Structures are given as C-alpha cells and as structure tokens.
Amino acid sequence: MIKPKAIKEVLEQVNTNGVSSTMLLTSEGSLLAYANDTNKDPRVAAAITSNIWAAYSRSGKDAFGHDHPLSIVLLECEGGRVAITAVGSLLLCVYAQESVELGLLKKKTEALAEFLEGPLSAVNVA
C-alpha cells in the first residue's frame, strides 16, 4: 500500500535550490500527489502537463516510431522551467525557476523518477 503522505514527503525533498513544485499525476491529468511552494492551483498545471506529454509522445511515435519512446520533456516557459517524465504508468512533473539550469532540473527529475519507479511499479492506473 502506498501512503500519500510518504509520497508527498519524497516530492518535497526535490523542492530545493529553485525547484518550487513537484507533481505526480495520471496520464489523463488527475493529480495524485504534489508538493509546491506556491499558492497556485496544481490541478491546472496537472491538466496542462498531461496534454503536453500526450502531444509530444504522439508526435515522437509518428516521427521516430515505437522503438524510441519519449523519456523526458524539458520546457522553458515565461515563468520558469519544466521537466516531465513517465514513472511507470504515471507522470512526474517538476517546475523550477528560470535560474535553474536545465541539466540540473533534468538530473533531479530523473533521480526522483528512478527512486519512485520501484514503489510505483505496483500501481496500475487505468
């Protein structure tokens, strides 16, 4: 059994050095857990995140075939930087300030995804 409080505590550990929000969501955009330092509604960001992932994933399959699945999306936005990656059947989204280097954001996201992969592999979200 996965405990939501434990997941939130793990997500909070990434929110350092310019990273302000970390979310775990379904591929349909339903928010499962989040940790953020802002007052913004994470449900809106979760919905946008799932749409971005779906669009890039679909475009990648069309362009490169099924042999090269999407592993991570890095975006530079007006208000910061975003990394999105899959963790089993779920999505992990990490949002950071513009000052955070993309390489650092990518490594933090990949490390968290790797850490969560084992515990979340048992979760099957339809």
Side-chain angles (χ1 to χ4, degrees), residues 1 5 8 17 22 28 41 47 53 67 75 89 92 99 112:
M1 177 93 177
K5 185 177 179 183
K8 181 177 171 108
N17 299 328
T22 309
E28 290 80 29
D41 186 358
W53 182 264
D67 295 339
L75 301 169
S89 62
L92 175 66
S99 60
L112 180 57

Side-chain angles (χ1 to χ4, degrees), residues 39-121:
N39 293 331
K40 296 178 184 174
D41 186 358
R43 293 174 296 178
V44 174
I48 294 169
T49 297
S50 68
N51 284 320
I52 291 170
W53 182 264
Y56 277 93
S57 182
R58 190 173 35 257
S59 296
K61 286 178 185 172
D62 291 345
F64 303 112
H66 294 280
D67 295 339
H68 304 286
L70 185 63
S71 62
I72 193 165
V73 174
L74 296 171
L75 301 169
E76 194 160 348
C77 305
E78 193 173 292
R81 295 176 170 184
V82 180
I84 309 166
T85 192
V87 181
S89 62
L90 303 175
L91 295 176
L92 175 66
C93 177
V94 180
Y95 176 80
Q97 298 169 357
E98 293 174 338
S99 60
V100 175
E101 296 293 329
L102 284 173
L104 178 61
L105 180 60
K106 181 181 179 195
K107 285 297 181 188
K108 278 189 161 198
T109 304
E110 290 173 338
L112 180 57
E114 185 179 324
F115 181 81
L116 292 172
E117 188 75 40
L120 294 178
S121 65

Side-chain angles (χ1 to χ4, degrees), residues 28-42:
E28 290 80 29
S30 297
L31 190 63
L32 299 177
Y34 72 95
N36 69 14
D37 297 339
T38 66
N39 293 331
K40 296 178 184 174
D41 186 358

